[in-house]
Amino acid sequence: MDVRNLQFKDGYFDVVIDKALLDAIVCGGGAVENSHMMLSEIHRVLSPTGTYICITHGKEKQRKKYLKNVKRFNWMRMKFPLQKPQVGQTQKEHKIPKEDDKKNFHFLYVCKKQVQPVIDSSDEEAVAHEQARIEMERKKAEDQTKISDSDTDAGNK
């Protein structure tokens, strides 16, 4: 099955686990378009509160640009470094590398869909769009209240 065109209903999965698929997609031709299609499909098949788990060898700087698209995907993203196994070391010799020594880590990203929008506060356009959406919802709620009140008043006459 092609991850860019999944044959599942919207919201079908609570969790999608990706072990290096994003890595493979971004290392090939058409990386931006193909990764966008892949992540869009994963987002589509996740339930409204679903979670996408991505295990990658790519450093945060290399993967963040794909996973961070909050305008499109509306998910809360968390990163966890996973220490790579040290081949040839015994348990006694095992040293834990510093977390900033990126070559000794894989990364696990947990992307949780949010019911409420997640806004990247550094994205002025996204903030303005969200403020306009909230204002529109507030006005709609006020209008519904006015209609409800006028219906109640009409029923009392």
Side-chain angles (χ1 to χ4, degrees):
M1 183 176 303
D2 186 345
V3 72
R4 298 167 302 171
N5 186 23
L6 295 172
Q7 303 301 307
F8 296 100
K9 295 178 186 174
D10 293 1
Y12 190 77
F13 295 102
D14 291 324
V15 177
V16 171
I17 299 173
D18 163 6
K19 169 78 169 65
L21 181 58
L22 182 61
D23 293 341
I25 295 286
V26 301
C27 290
V32 173
E33 182 181 341
N34 286 327
S35 63
H36 179 75
M37 290 169 64
M38 171 192 154
L39 292 169
S40 294
E41 279 294 278
I42 289 170
H43 191 269
R44 180 186 65 77
V45 300
L46 281 172
S47 67
T49 56
T51 302
Y52 168 52
I53 298 172
C54 177
I55 303 164
T56 177
H57 66 79
K59 296 176 184 169
E60 182 174 20
K61 188 166 71 171
Q62 297 167 325
R63 298 298 177 259
K64 186 177 178 182
K65 64 183 172 187
Y66 300 106
L67 298 172
K68 187 180 176 188
N69 192 343
V70 293
K71 283 187 216 175
R72 178 144 188 106
F73 302 124
N74 190 37
W75 49 35
M76 184 64 64
R77 190 185 74 257
M78 297 170 282
K79 177 191 81 164
F80 301 94
L82 304 171
Q83 184 181 348
K84 292 179 183 177
Q86 303 298 311
V87 178
Q89 286 185 340
T90 66
Q91 190 67 20
K92 288 181 183 179
E93 296 173 320
H94 182 71
K95 289 190 261 180
I96 299 175
K98 295 178 183 171
E99 190 175 324
D100 62 351
D101 183 7
K102 303 294 187 206
K103 70 178 186 261
N104 288 313
F105 287 90
H106 290 291
F107 300 93
L108 180 128
Y109 291 95
V110 177
C111 302
K112 176 98 173 126
K113 282 178 83 171
Q114 302 296 298
V115 176
Q116 295 296 319
V118 176
I119 300 298
D120 179 355
S121 61
S122 66
D123 185 340
E124 293 176 13
E125 182 183 336
V127 170
H129 178 73
E130 180 60 10
Q131 288 172 337
R133 186 192 66 76
I134 290 169
E135 181 62 21
M136 195 166 57
E137 283 186 10
R138 186 187 63 74
K139 287 180 180 178
K140 185 177 178 181
E142 282 179 5
D143 292 346
Q144 291 289 359
T145 302
K146 288 177 185 176
I147 291 169
S148 175
D149 289 347
S150 66
D151 289 347
T152 303
D153 291 344
N156 290 335
K157 291 183 180 183

